[in-house]
Amino acid sequence: MPVIDPPTEPQIPMPSVTSPFAGKRLRMFDHLRLSAYWFGSNFVWGALLGPVMSEQMTKLAPQDSARALAQLYFFGAFPALFLPLIIGVLSDRCTSVYGRRKPYIFLGGLLAMVGLAGLFFASMANSFAGFLTCYFVLQIGSNIALSAFMGIIPDLVPADQHGIASGYMAFMSQFSTLGGVFLGGKLISNGNIPLTYGLLGGVFVVFFLVSLAGIPENKLTGPVPAINWRNHFGSLIHPLIEYPDFRWVWITRGLMMLGFYSMSPYILYYLRDVIHVKNPADTAGMVLGIILLGATVSGVVGGTLSDRTGRKPIVYGSSIIIGVTSLAFIFCKNLEQATVVGIFFGLGYGAYISVDWALGTDVLPIQQDAGKDMGIWHVAMILPQQIGALLAGEVLQLFAIPGTHTKDSPGLYAWGGYAVIFSFSAVCFLVGGYLLRFIKGTR
C-alpha cells in the first residue's frame, strides 16, 4: 500500500503592510524625519570609532594600543553580526499598535544609553576591561535598534524614490559623523571626558526621540507565520545562493567595508607616526571631518543622481577614486598633503555610501521579509569591520617601533605598517567596484 503522509498545517503567508507614503512623493521634511535616528546614532559612532576610542586606548592600554583597539572592534562587533539576523525577522512579524519597527528601536535605544553611560564610568576608572564590557552593551542596544530601523526605507519609501532616500540617509549619516568626529576629537584631545560623553549622550537622546515621534508606521494586521528558528538560521544563506544580484551586492559591500575598516580606525595613529602632528586626536578629528564633509556633499548628489543614471556608474567612479586616494595616503609627507588626499577620498566614499543603501533595497529577494534580508545584508558591513580592524591592528604591531611601547607612553608604529594597510584597502576598493559588473537586475 502507498504510504500517505500525515496532513500538514497550512503555512500562514506573511501579510503585507501599506505605507503611509504609498503613491506619494516624499518631501524633504519626510526624508529628514525618516533618517533622524541615523543622525543620533552616527554622531555617537563617528566620535567613538574616529578619535575617541583611538585616544582612549593610548591611555587605557598604552603598551599595545593598536591591538587593544583591534580587540574592541573585533569582540564588540559580535552583537552587530548576529542581532540583525534575529531582530530583523522579529520586527517583520511585530503586530504592536506602534508599528513593526518602532518597539525595537525604542528598546535598543534605551540599552544603548546604558552602554554609553558605562563607557564614561569605565574611562574615569581607567579600566580597559570595563570599557570593553560597556562597549559590548552599547553594541547590543545600538544593533537592536538599527536592525529594526534598516527596514524603514523598504517599508515606507516607494521604490522609485529609494535613491534619493538613500542619499538623505547618507547625508544624515555623514553630516552627523562629521560632527561627532570633529567635536569628539576636540573634546577628547583636551582630556574632557565628562563633556565628551555628555555631548554624545545628549545628541543621541534628542534624535532618538525625534525618530520615534517622526516615523509614521502603519500597524501590521492579521495572523503572522510562526518562526521556526532552526529553519530560519538554516535558510539565512538561501538569499545569497538563490538570488545572484543580492549575492554580488553583498560581496561588493563586504569588500568596500573591509577596505574602509582596515584603515579608518588607525587614522589617528597614522597622523601621529607618519605625518608627525603634535596633537593627533584633535588633528584626526579635523582630517576625518574634512573627509566626511566631502562625503556629505557627494552623498546627497550621488543618491539623487543614481535614480536617473543608475547605481553602477556611481559605484564604478567612486571605487576608483577611493582606491587611488588610499594609495596616495602612503606618500603624504605633511598634513596639507594628507588633507587634500582626504578631501578626494571623502568625495569618492560619500558617492559610494549614497547608493549603498539603494543598491541593497533594489535587489531585496522578498519585500515582505525586508527586515530579515536587510539583516543578512548588514552582515556585509559588520564582518569586514571585525576582520579588517583585527588584521590591521596585528599588522601595525608587527611594525611596532622598539622602545616606544612603555607603561607611561603610547607606542609608535613604523611607516611600513601603514603602507601595507593602505595598499590592502586600495585593492579591496578596486576589486569591489569591479565585481559590481555581475549585477544584472539594476543599472
Side-chain angles (χ1 to χ4, degrees), residues 37-53 72-73 76-77 79-80 112 115-116 119 131 134-143 145-146 173 176-181 200 203-204 260-261 264 288 292 378 381-382 385:
Y37 182 79
W38 273 128
F39 192 99
S41 178
N42 281 282
F43 188 91
V44 171
W45 288 113
L48 288 177
L49 301 182
V52 172
M53 288 205 313
L72 276 177
Y73 271 82
L116 193 57
L119 289 183
F131 197 92
C134 294
Y135 182 66
F136 201 80
V137 173
L138 173 62
Q139 283 277 16
I140 292 174
S142 179
N143 280 280
L146 181 62
S173 299
S176 60
T177 303
L178 167 64
V181 164
L200 298 185
V203 171
F204 179 82
F260 184 75
Y261 285 105
S264 63
L288 287 170
L292 291 166
H378 185 61
M381 182 180 78
I382 299 304
Q385 182 183 127

Side-chain angles (χ1 to χ4, degrees), residues 25-298:
R25 196 77 193 171
L26 274 71
R27 302 164 298 165
M28 178 187 295
F29 173 75
D30 297 322
H31 286 292
L32 292 176
R33 61 175 171 153
L34 291 182
S35 299
Y37 182 79
W38 273 128
F39 192 99
S41 178
N42 281 282
F43 188 91
V44 171
W45 288 113
L48 288 177
L49 301 182
V52 172
M53 288 205 313
S54 299
E55 177 66 13
Q56 292 274 266
M57 291 308 99
T58 64
K59 303 296 190 297
L60 301 182
Q63 293 175 290
D64 55 355
S65 54
R67 181 171 288 152
L69 186 59
Q71 289 173 349
L72 276 177
Y73 271 82
F74 182 76
F75 292 109
F78 274 104
L81 187 61
F82 294 110
L83 279 174
L85 305 178
I86 299 172
I87 302 300
V89 69
L90 287 174
S91 68
D92 283 339
R93 290 162 169 76
C94 180
T95 57
S96 166
V97 295
Y98 300 105
R100 291 198 293 175
R101 315 299 180 185
K102 284 198 285 189
Y104 291 96
I105 296 173
F106 176 74
L107 173 64
L110 290 181
L111 193 56
M113 293 177 206
V114 173
L116 193 57
L119 289 183
F120 162 70
F121 290 111
S123 178
M124 296 299 291
N126 204 39
S127 170
F128 173 73
F131 197 92
L132 178 60
T133 301
C134 294
Y135 182 66
F136 201 80
V137 173
L138 173 62
Q139 283 277 16
I140 292 174
S142 179
N143 280 280
I144 289 174
L146 181 62
S147 301
F149 187 76
M150 285 190 298
I152 293 297
I153 281 184
D155 285 351
L156 303 182
V157 179
D160 64 343
Q161 299 172 61
H162 280 176
I164 189 172
S166 183
Y168 272 99
M169 275 200 164
F171 170 77
M172 295 289 272
S173 299
Q174 302 302 340
F175 187 69
S176 60
T177 303
L178 167 64
V181 164
F182 183 77
L183 294 175
K186 284 284 185 186
L187 294 175
I188 203 69
S189 69
N190 294 327
N192 200 328
I193 294 174
L195 189 54
T196 299
Y197 287 100
L199 175 66
L200 298 185
V203 171
F204 179 82
V205 168
V206 168
F207 284 90
F208 165 64
L209 294 177
V210 168
S211 186
L212 286 177
I215 297 174
E217 282 194 280
N218 287 337
K219 181 180 182 296
L220 176 66
T221 58
V224 296
I227 304 172
N228 184 318
W229 287 108
R230 177 180 294 181
N231 290 344
H232 168 68
F233 286 110
S235 68
L236 289 177
I237 197 68
H238 173 75
L240 297 175
I241 295 175
E242 296 296 324
Y243 298 90
D245 283 350
F246 188 70
R247 177 173 67 247
W248 284 115
V249 168
W250 193 92
I251 292 172
T252 296
R253 189 188 206 213
L255 285 169
M256 292 290 190
M257 295 300 107
L258 182 61
F260 184 75
Y261 285 105
S262 293
M263 57 185 283
S264 63
Y266 305 102
I267 290 293
L268 185 149
Y269 301 158
Y270 162 79
L271 292 171
R272 179 194 66 192
D273 301 341
V274 177
I275 306 300
H276 305 296
V277 299
K278 293 181 179 179
N279 192 335
D282 191 7
T283 307
M286 182 193 73
V287 171
L288 287 170
I290 290 172
I291 290 174
L292 291 166
L293 182 60
T296 302
V297 172
S298 61

Side-chain angles (χ1 to χ4, degrees), residues 308-320:
R308 296 195 294 266
T309 66
R311 322 295 187 206
K312 288 184 178 180
I314 305 295
V315 177
Y316 289 144
S318 62
S319 64
I320 292 173

